[in-house]
Amino acid sequence: MFIATLITEGLTAGQLSEAGDRLAAAGCAPGASRWIDAGRAADLEFVQHPDAARAALEGAFPACDVAVQPMAGREKKLLVADMDSTMITVECIDELADYAGIKPQIAEVTERAMRGELDFGAALDARVALLKGLPEGAIAQCLAERVQLMPGAKALVRTMRARGATCVLVSGGFTRFAEPVGAEIGFHRVIANRLVIADGALDGTVERPIVDSNTKLETLVAVRGELGLAVDGTLAVGDGANDLAMIRAAGLGVAYHAKPIVAAAAGVRIDHGDLSALLYAQGIAAKDWAES
């Protein structure tokens, strides 16, 4: 048995009925439907052909996100999440570059790397090298002035944690941002790259080994093993090409407002809603969310 979850503001009973008709026409053998939160999120059960169900429902209703997955095990016990443009609204390296007066130059490289057009490690080294000499104080200033949490981030992590899940933030960005962000949101663990500081300024390098796509995948697999979880007990979310490996390896892999290469490969796309959509995907109603 499978579940299709529709998530959007203003969801109507008529749209649920139409969704059931679409599933029937696609040969999915739909069953019962039920509200998770009336007007915001609902589940539709069906028997077969999940790929056909996803194709039938994605884009069918305005500004509606769709999560299709097996009914069994939909509530996850491990979350591994990206930070930049996922748990926060910005790319920290781009914002840091603004304090050095070179944001457009670095942002272009970031965009290409996140689209999978450049090797992540080489692109990171090249961008950090351009920041050589930037005063260390710019990091704290950037954190205070530019870094904002993504809507729904606290609700997602704190609710999952309260329900017994382990939450890990793994970022190709920097510890000086990831550690305070992770602490504020409520992650159990934070893994990120370390900028090298010398004489009160960035020296243009990051410590080795670089936290990259392989690190994210290895973290998912390792923590899953520590917890004794099956693959279907895991959730991974990110937006860029360096998140692809962990997204593909998770029981529920989510592309969040993602680059096209990621959106095309992920099992679930969240294009419209905020991170609380991942609670609805797990069948958790708003009344059961932790305070954020």
Side-chain angles (χ1 to χ4, degrees):
M1 186 70 73
F2 297 90
I3 287 281
T5 305
L6 305 184
I7 307 161
T8 186
E9 291 294 335
L11 188 64
T12 68
Q15 289 173 322
L16 288 186
S17 178
E18 181 182 342
D21 292 343
R22 287 175 173 271
L23 291 175
C28 301
S33 64
R34 58 183 173 273
W35 290 107
I36 302 173
D37 275 332
R40 296 177 66 189
D43 284 339
L44 296 94
E45 298 178 1
F46 64 97
V47 175
Q48 58 193 4
H49 307 317
D51 290 341
R54 182 179 176 184
L57 296 176
E58 284 187 343
F61 308 108
C64 184
D65 293 311
V66 178
V68 173
Q69 61 188 310
M71 182 185 297
R74 70 184 297 199
E75 185 169 344
K76 308 307 180 186
K77 294 303 178 185
L78 172 62
L79 168 66
V80 179
D82 173 49
M83 182 178 70
D84 294 73
S85 298
T86 303
M87 288 290 144
I88 60 175
T89 61
V90 296
E91 294 285 336
C92 288
I93 194 167
D94 295 355
E95 300 307 315
L96 199 56
D98 205 19
Y99 290 88
I102 54 172
K103 181 175 180 178
Q105 182 179 351
I106 283 188
E108 179 184 4
V109 178
T110 301
E111 178 70 12
R112 292 183 63 197
M114 292 302 99
R115 287 181 175 273
E117 298 170 5
L118 301 173
D119 175 77
F120 178 82
L124 180 66
D125 282 338
R127 286 175 290 165
V128 173
L130 293 173
L131 298 176
K132 184 175 181 179
L134 183 68
E136 181 182 7
I139 299 173
Q141 186 178 359
C142 182
L143 178 64
E145 295 178 349
R146 305 290 180 88
V147 176
Q148 296 183 355
L149 301 186
M150 190 69 71
K154 286 184 179 179
L156 172 63
V157 172
R158 294 180 182 187
T159 299
M160 289 187 68
R161 182 167 181 157
R163 297 169 74 93
T166 296
C167 302
V168 185
L169 184 66
V170 188
S171 174
F174 309 119
T175 55
R176 295 285 289 270
F177 296 100
E179 288 175 351
V181 164
E184 183 177 357
I185 295 174
F187 281 91
H188 289 89
R189 308 183 197 177
V190 174
I191 300 169
N193 289 300
R194 293 188 177 277
L195 288 165
V196 179
I197 307 295
D199 299 322
L202 278 67
D203 87 340
T205 64
V206 293
E207 292 183 8
R208 265 40 187 176
I210 286 177
V211 176
D212 59 9
S213 176
N214 286 334
T215 312
K216 296 185 178 195
L217 174 60
E218 289 165 1
T219 299
L220 175 71
V221 172
V223 180
R224 187 185 77 203
E226 291 173 16
L227 299 174
L229 296 176
V231 170
D232 63 7
T234 64
L235 164 61
V237 59
D239 73 298
N242 64 325
D243 301 313
L244 266 175
M246 72 171 183
I247 286 172
R248 287 173 169 150
L252 185 64
V254 179
Y256 181 77
H257 295 253
K259 307 304 181 191
I261 190 173
V262 186
V268 172
R269 296 201 326 259
I270 302 299
D271 294 331
H272 307 289
D274 65 27
L275 287 168
S276 65
L278 301 190
L279 292 172
Y280 284 136
Q282 296 178 76
I284 304 171
K287 66 180 179 60
D288 299 317
W289 296 356
E291 291 187 10
S292 58

